[in-house]
């Protein structure tokens, strides 16, 4: 069963379920995340998620468009939640869960993921740790493997398409830092897509702490040698499938198809290499809010949809046909609207997962003995993580990452000094979310193709407006 995996690590020849245009771009392409530097041309169009030339084949068809008015209303709600995160998590978590199920606004998704995962608290309590790890030389054994894997992570995304580009550099930094942070685990290939998804939404330091939380709290033991944790969760998935879809369960049992054969990439990569991107983002919104039960639900929905009736089973009479079917999932079942609805309707709770975990762990010990790697207990979502880890309000406070001092005209400076000397006003400053400014630019200019010059002009207009009121502008990402 494990012959195709080396030392508990995924093989390098992994497959991607979503179709990509492999012949259109070569690996040595100079086109990367810096459009002007790398010569990005209009002939290579990106979709709204940053994928080039339709690499995410089903994303456009499966995505649900949210009206701009609704999106702006949701952004305001999320900004309020992030400003009072401890109160919302402790007293109104059901409302937080509902808003995650509806989808986190794209402009705030990175910050929301960091707060949900507990990465914000972890970063504040370990200030300077990532910088220290980043400055250290990594273990040559892991550095070599990581460098070989960099170009395999979303090679058709504008952030990672360029060899040696900023995206690949940050990905290397995050993965190398983790091997130094957890030398007992080292590096597993399935961590790379997890880190890459995080880097698409947040800076390298935040992505590092997000990766730490996912590896330690959400999916503990998944990336350790031996893959015992993923095998154990495969048995849990199989037992839950027996309850959710008996026909699918009997078919897999009949053809002796063990869960590890089809669910390893699903679970270890949190479906980031399986689903259309619009569906990936919605699954991650719910996953980081409610924990691993969402991953189990998605797997169960896909199995039930593909193998849940006699008519569907006629198309896969043997083991080979069944495996091919599970490798090439029907686009309809991966669509954002269908998948999210089915996931929310499936009656599988965290208690069900834990109850089955105890049963399968007892069975594992009878057959294989004790687990060779003792992983920390699994946390089921944001509420459990916040409750288990002591934190202060200072840990959750939003801090600017960029501080811009805009020079004032000479007459304004003299007036400011005169008023300050008389002590009639107090110095004021304003905190501006950079992503919110960019979103506003999109609203003002709904034209699809805005030139860089136009964007800079609009951005400068926003700065000029706020500078009339404040000398200092604090921007946070």
């Amino acid at each position: 069963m494990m012959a195709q995996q080396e030392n508990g690590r995924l093989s390098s020849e992994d497959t991607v379920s979503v179709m990509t245009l492999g012949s259109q771009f070569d690996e040595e392409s100079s086109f990367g995340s810096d459009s002007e530097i790398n010569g990005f041309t209009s002939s290579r169009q990106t979709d709204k998620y940053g994928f080039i030339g339709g690499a995410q084949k089903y994303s456009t068809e499966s995505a649900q468009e949210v009206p701009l008015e609704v999106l702006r209303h949701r952004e305001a709600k999320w900004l309020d939640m992030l400003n009072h995160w401890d109160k919302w998590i402790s007293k109104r978590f059901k409302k937080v869960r509902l808003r995650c199920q509806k989808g986190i606004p794209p402009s705030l998704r990175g910050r929301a993921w960091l707060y949900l995962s507990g990465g914000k608290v972890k970063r504040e309590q370990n200030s300077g740790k990532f910088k220290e790890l980043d400055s250290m030389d990594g273990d040559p054994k892991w550095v070599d493997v990581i460098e070989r894997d960099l170009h395999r992570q979303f090679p058709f995304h504008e952030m990672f398409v360029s060899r040696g580009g900023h995206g690949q550099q940050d990905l290397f930094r995050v993965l190398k830092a983790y091997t130094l942070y957890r030398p007992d685990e080292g590096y597993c290939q399935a961590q790379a897509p997890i880190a890459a998804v995080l880097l698409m939404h947040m800076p390298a330091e935040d992505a590092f702490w997000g990766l730490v939380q996912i590896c330690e709290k959400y999916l503990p033991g998944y990336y350790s040698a031996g893959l015992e944790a993923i095998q154990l969760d495969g048995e849990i998935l199989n037992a839950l499938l027996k309850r959710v879809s008996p026909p699918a369960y009997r078919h897999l049992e009949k053809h002796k198809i063990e869960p590890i054969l089809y669910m390893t990439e699903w679970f270890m990569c949190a479906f980031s290499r399986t689903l259309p991107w619009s569906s990936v983002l919605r699954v991650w919104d719910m996953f980081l809010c409610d924990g691993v039960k969402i991953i189990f639900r998605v797997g169960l929905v896909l199995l039930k949809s593909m193998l849940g009736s006699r008519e569907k089973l006629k198309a896969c009479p043997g083991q080979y046909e069944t495996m091919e079917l599970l490798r090439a999932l029907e686009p309809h079942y991966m669509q954002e609207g269908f998948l999210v609805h089915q996931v929310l309707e499936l009656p599988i709770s965290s208690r069900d997962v834990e109850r089955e975990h105890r049963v399968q762990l007892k069975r594992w010990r009878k057959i294989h003995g004790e687990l060779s790697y003792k992983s920390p207990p699994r946390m089921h979502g944001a509420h459990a993580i916040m409750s288990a880890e002591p934190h202060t309000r200072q840990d959750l406070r939003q801090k600017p990452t960029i501080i811009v001092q805009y020079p004032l005209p000479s007459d304004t400076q003299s007036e400011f000094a005169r008023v300050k000397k008389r002590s009639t006003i107090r110095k004021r400053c304003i905190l501006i979310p950079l992503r919110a400014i960019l979103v506003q630019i999109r609203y003002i200019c709904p034209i699809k193709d805005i030139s860089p010059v136009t964007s800079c002009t609009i951005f400068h207009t926003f700065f000029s407006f706020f500078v009339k009121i404040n000398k200092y502008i604090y921007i946070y990402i």
Side-chain angles (χ1 to χ4, degrees):
M1 179 179 66
M2 304 299 295
Q4 297 178 350
Q5 301 172 6
E6 181 181 357
N7 296 328
R9 301 311 198 234
L10 296 178
S11 65
S12 60
E13 300 297 330
D14 2 45
T15 58
V16 183
S17 298
V18 178
M19 299 292 292
T20 58
L21 307 181
S23 60
Q24 189 171 349
F25 310 107
D26 58 286
E27 292 180 346
E28 300 297 335
S29 171
S30 63
F31 299 107
S33 56
D34 293 339
S35 303
E36 295 181 1
I37 295 176
N38 291 329
F40 198 89
T41 63
S42 59
S43 62
R44 295 195 176 183
Q45 296 291 336
T46 62
D47 62 18
K48 64 180 181 179
Y49 305 110
F51 289 93
I52 302 170
Q56 274 280 331
K57 184 176 179 181
Y58 305 120
S59 282
T60 304
E61 295 85 347
S62 69
Q64 288 183 321
E65 294 296 332
V66 180
L68 292 181
E69 296 78 10
V70 175
L71 189 61
R72 297 181 75 175
H73 191 55
R74 289 180 180 177
E75 286 171 348
K77 290 180 177 179
W78 271 95
L79 284 171
D80 177 65
M81 285 200 305
L82 293 171
N83 285 327
H84 308 90
W85 189 249
D86 53 339
K87 294 181 180 179
W88 279 88
I89 285 291
S90 59
K91 298 179 180 179
R92 304 190 64 186
F93 180 68
K94 289 184 179 179
K95 195 68 176 178
V96 177
R97 174 189 288 138
L98 180 62
R99 290 178 180 176
C100 288
Q101 291 172 355
K102 290 180 178 179
I104 300 173
S107 60
L108 298 171
R109 182 167 267 130
R111 283 170 54 214
W113 282 1
L114 194 66
Y115 274 71
L116 285 166
S117 66
K120 175 68 165 67
V121 173
K122 201 83 169 179
R123 186 190 71 186
E124 297 300 330
Q125 293 180 349
N126 294 271
S127 179
K129 184 66 176 178
F130 176 74
K131 186 176 181 180
E132 175 191 339
L133 296 172
D134 191 30
S135 64
M136 296 169 60
D137 294 329
D139 187 329
K141 172 181 67 175
W142 297 124
V143 167
D144 183 57
V145 178
I146 292 171
E147 287 179 339
R148 289 203 306 266
D149 280 348
L150 292 177
H151 72 282
R152 299 189 181 109
Q153 312 311 321
F154 305 106
F156 301 104
H157 192 278
E158 62 179 351
M159 187 174 182
F160 302 106
V161 71
S162 175
R163 279 184 178 268
H166 294 290
Q168 290 194 12
Q169 289 179 25
D170 283 348
L171 183 58
F172 174 79
R173 293 169 59 206
V174 170
L175 296 174
K176 184 204 73 173
Y178 188 83
T179 63
L180 296 170
Y181 184 75
R182 283 286 178 264
D184 54 325
E185 281 195 16
Y187 166 70
C188 174
Q189 286 182 324
Q191 289 174 316
I194 296 289
V197 175
L198 294 170
L199 280 170
M200 292 178 194
H201 297 86
M202 58 188 76
E205 183 175 8
D206 293 351
F208 169 74
W209 291 115
L211 177 65
V212 167
Q213 291 297 95
I214 290 175
C215 294
E216 293 185 351
K217 301 296 190 301
Y218 289 84
L219 307 173
Y222 267 37
Y223 308 105
S224 59
L227 294 181
E228 291 177 329
I230 193 69
Q231 291 183 69
L232 195 60
D233 275 4
E235 296 304 322
I236 296 173
L237 178 68
N238 205 36
L240 294 174
L241 181 64
K242 185 177 182 180
R243 187 206 308 182
V244 171
S245 179
Y249 170 80
R250 288 193 296 266
H251 180 80
L252 294 174
E253 285 290 302
K254 175 183 176 182
H255 296 290
K256 296 181 173 20
I257 301 176
E258 299 183 22
I260 197 72
L261 296 176
Y262 58 84
M263 54 78 68
T264 304
E265 185 177 83
W266 291 0
F267 277 52
M268 294 186 74
C269 300
F271 290 97
S272 61
R273 296 179 56 146
T274 304
L275 301 173
W277 205 247
S278 58
S279 301
V280 170
L281 297 178
R282 293 291 301 277
V283 166
W284 275 54
D285 291 346
M286 297 184 291
F287 165 57
L288 293 175
C289 178
D290 273 330
V292 78
K293 76 175 183 183
I294 298 299
I295 302 297
F296 278 100
R297 286 186 185 183
V298 175
L300 292 169
V301 167
L302 295 178
L303 289 170
K304 181 181 178 181
S305 299
M306 297 297 291
L307 303 171
S309 67
R310 291 183 178 179
E311 291 74 18
K312 293 170 184 175
L313 293 177
K314 289 179 181 178
C316 48
Q319 185 184 77
Y320 174 79
E321 292 83 2
T322 303
M323 288 301 300
E324 286 299 307
L325 191 69
L326 294 177
R327 288 192 185 102
L329 300 169
E330 291 184 26
H332 169 70
Y333 300 129
M334 298 188 291
Q335 285 185 356
E336 179 185 347
F338 173 85
L339 185 64
V340 172
H341 176 73
Q342 293 296 318
V343 166
L344 295 178
E345 290 293 318
L346 203 64
I348 297 297
S349 66
S350 301
R351 289 184 179 180
D352 296 328
V353 174
E354 282 303 308
R355 188 184 304 113
E356 199 58 48
H357 181 270
R358 290 190 292 270
V359 173
Q360 296 302 328
L361 184 58
K362 184 182 291 187
R363 184 176 299 172
W364 176 281
R365 286 170 176 163
K366 286 182 179 179
I367 300 173
H368 306 284
E370 289 293 332
L371 296 172
S372 60
Y373 181 83
K374 298 267 180 90
S375 58
R378 179 155 50 194
M379 299 288 178
H380 290 277
H383 187 269
I385 292 173
M386 291 289 287
S387 301
E389 295 185 344
H391 62 277
T392 64
R393 290 189 177 180
Q394 189 69 20
D395 295 332
L396 295 171
R397 185 180 178 184
Q398 299 182 50
K399 298 180 181 179
T401 52
I402 304 174
I403 300 177
V404 180
Q405 183 175 358
Y406 200 96
L408 294 174
S410 57
D411 55 339
T412 307
Q413 288 180 348
S414 59
E415 178 68 16
F416 182 82
R418 183 182 63 82
V419 174
K420 183 178 180 182
K421 185 176 181 180
R422 291 168 50 188
S423 302
T424 56
I425 65 168
R426 294 163 61 185
K427 180 180 173 183
R428 297 176 295 177
C429 66
I430 189 166
L431 196 65
I432 310 173
L434 180 58
R435 284 194 179 92
I437 292 178
L438 298 179
V439 170
Q440 295 298 327
I441 292 175
R442 187 183 65 188
Y443 293 147
I444 293 173
C445 298
I447 306 173
K448 292 184 178 180
D449 299 321
I450 305 177
S451 68
V453 176
T454 305
S455 299
C456 291
T457 304
I458 299 171
F459 193 80
H460 183 268
T461 303
F462 272 91
F463 266 77
S464 301
F465 171 75
F466 286 110
V467 165
K468 290 179 182 178
I469 307 173
N470 302 278
K471 181 178 180 182
Y472 291 95
I473 299 178
Y474 286 5
I475 302 178
Y476 61 87
I477 298 177

